[in-house]
Amino acid sequence: LVWCHGASDVIVRVTAAACARAESSEPRAVLQGPTWPNVNTLIRSGGAKSICEIPYPDPWAGDDAPQGFWSALEEDLLGSSPPSLVYLVHPHFPTGFKEPGFAAKLKQLLERIPKDILVAVDQTYIGFTQRTDDDEVLENLAQESNSVVLIRSLSKVEGLAAVRLGYATATASTARELTDSLPFAGGLYVSELALAGAVAAICGADAARHRQRVLGFYSEEQAWFRAQIEALGLEAYAADAPFFPIRAPEEALKAAVKAGAAIQRFAFPGDADKSRSPAVCLVADRASNEATLRTLQKALEEAQKAGGSGFPDWAQGLMNQFSK
């Protein structure tokens, strides 16, 4: 393990290691998009000179929807100027989708691409999902292949956001590459007190009960939140995460985000229906979630009054009926 100041710091260090491997003076990174809003900044901070996104499709568009992503990714990595870094997110943000067979697909990909490409798999939200055999395959891959790094955080399920601890899982050789970019070669970078907190959060007497309480809270609150979103006539998709994707009219989403709702807009490739634009709702405490709902409902109402796309027709009909 290589400990850093949160998962964001791990991303910077992994990028720096990937760029140090590169023979090119203009190291390039390839991202799975859509992804975190601040990832581009972090990867550029690590030394990448250019960034390319490979579009990840709507995972609910069909059983084999993600396969096109893997094919496009392989084509890029086998091109004339392969990237130094590949950044993937699994489970995926912003969809929360945990792709079945992810590790098996990655393993097949590694057999065909240049060995000096570093593939970072961000698993910030892995703690919210059920463990599978594929998870074990991925962990073994990170222990066996110098081309794979897993990025994890203790700020979510474990609740150590204030301590700012994240870590990378990799082979001993790759771990040494990561520590080369740390101050003091990593020796004084993370305090013993912070590491003691990490041990308590992962292995302490109350750790398992704490995790179950956190998971129970987010599961129940998300179910309530999704039901309220659906009551507005919108689409909401379950996710094993402290967030969930929705679809809503584009103009209403823009207004809600501008007004401070805990919503982030994103786009799928080829998604042209502005009445069903995708976004992700962030789950928090009940008061915060209610505030997001009020803001979104107001945005829908104002879009409807303006003659744009507000509530779906069937939902507006119900509202008119109950308002009489």
Side-chain angles (χ1 to χ4, degrees):
L1 301 182
V2 177
W3 293 95
C4 295
H5 293 168
S8 296
D9 190 27
V10 181
I11 294 171
V12 175
R13 306 302 169 180
V14 171
T15 305
C19 292
R21 283 187 183 185
E23 295 180 2
S24 170
S25 60
E26 297 288 322
R28 188 169 71 93
V30 168
L31 313 185
Q32 174 188 14
T35 188
W36 310 99
N38 63 333
V39 160
N40 282 39
T41 300
L42 296 172
I43 288 178
R44 289 192 182 279
S45 296
K49 300 301 182 183
S50 63
I51 297 175
C52 169
E53 281 197 6
I54 305 292
Y56 193 70
D58 182 347
W60 296 280
D63 292 340
D64 61 346
Q67 186 53 48
F69 163 79
W70 289 99
S71 298
L73 178 60
E74 180 176 346
E75 182 178 354
D76 185 286
L77 303 190
L78 293 176
S80 57
S81 50
S84 306
L85 174 73
V86 176
Y87 176 80
L88 309 176
V89 183
H90 176 73
H92 183 236
F93 181 90
T95 64
F97 183 64
K98 188 178 183 184
E99 183 179 340
F102 177 94
K105 293 173 184 175
L106 178 57
K107 188 174 183 179
Q108 291 177 357
L109 180 67
L110 291 174
E111 293 171 354
R112 296 192 285 268
I113 65 174
K115 301 302 180 186
D116 59 344
I117 296 176
L118 192 56
V119 179
V121 183
D122 192 328
Q123 297 202 291
T124 297
Y125 290 107
I126 191 68
F128 287 88
T129 68
Q130 293 293 321
R131 185 170 175 79
T132 66
D133 291 341
D134 196 61
D135 293 333
E136 186 172 352
V137 172
L138 186 57
E139 289 171 358
N140 290 338
L141 198 58
Q143 293 297 324
E144 297 165 0
S145 172
N146 291 329
S147 298
V148 178
V149 175
L150 303 186
I151 299 172
R152 295 186 176 177
S153 168
L154 296 181
S155 66
K156 309 305 179 188
V157 174
E158 288 78 13
L160 289 183
V163 179
R164 292 297 297 162
L165 271 181
Y167 63 94
T169 300
T171 64
S173 174
T174 302
R176 283 191 292 271
E177 293 180 67
L178 300 183
T179 58
D180 282 347
S181 71
L182 295 178
F184 317 108
L188 301 175
Y189 194 54
V190 176
S191 73
E192 291 185 9
L193 180 62
L195 291 177
V199 171
I202 297 172
C203 313
D206 196 47
R209 188 168 69 91
H210 172 80
R211 282 195 292 270
Q212 288 307 312
R213 289 173 60 192
V214 171
L215 294 174
F217 167 80
Y218 278 109
S219 177
E220 293 174 10
E221 192 64 20
Q222 185 192 132
W224 175 86
F225 203 172
R226 288 200 322 271
Q228 306 308 307
I229 292 287
E230 290 169 348
L232 294 177
L234 306 177
E235 300 170 52
Y237 300 84
D240 291 330
F243 57 83
F244 61 95
I246 66 172
R247 283 188 178 270
E250 183 179 77
E251 292 305 314
L253 286 174
K254 287 180 179 179
V257 170
K258 186 175 181 179
I263 293 172
Q264 295 178 10
R265 297 175 56 235
F266 64 93
F268 288 120
D271 220 348
D273 187 352
K274 292 187 177 182
S275 69
R276 297 180 63 250
S277 291
V280 59
C281 269
L282 308 181
V283 181
D285 58 273
R286 181 60 59 89
S288 299
N289 297 335
E290 288 176 340
T292 290
L293 284 168
R294 289 193 297 270
T295 303
L296 181 57
Q297 182 171 3
K298 182 179 179 180
L300 289 164
E301 291 170 348
E302 290 178 350
Q304 185 73 18
K305 290 176 183 176
S309 296
F311 292 99
D313 291 342
W314 66 267
Q316 186 63 48
L318 285 175
M319 292 181 65
N320 291 340
Q321 180 179 345
F322 287 116
S323 64
K324 293 179 180 178

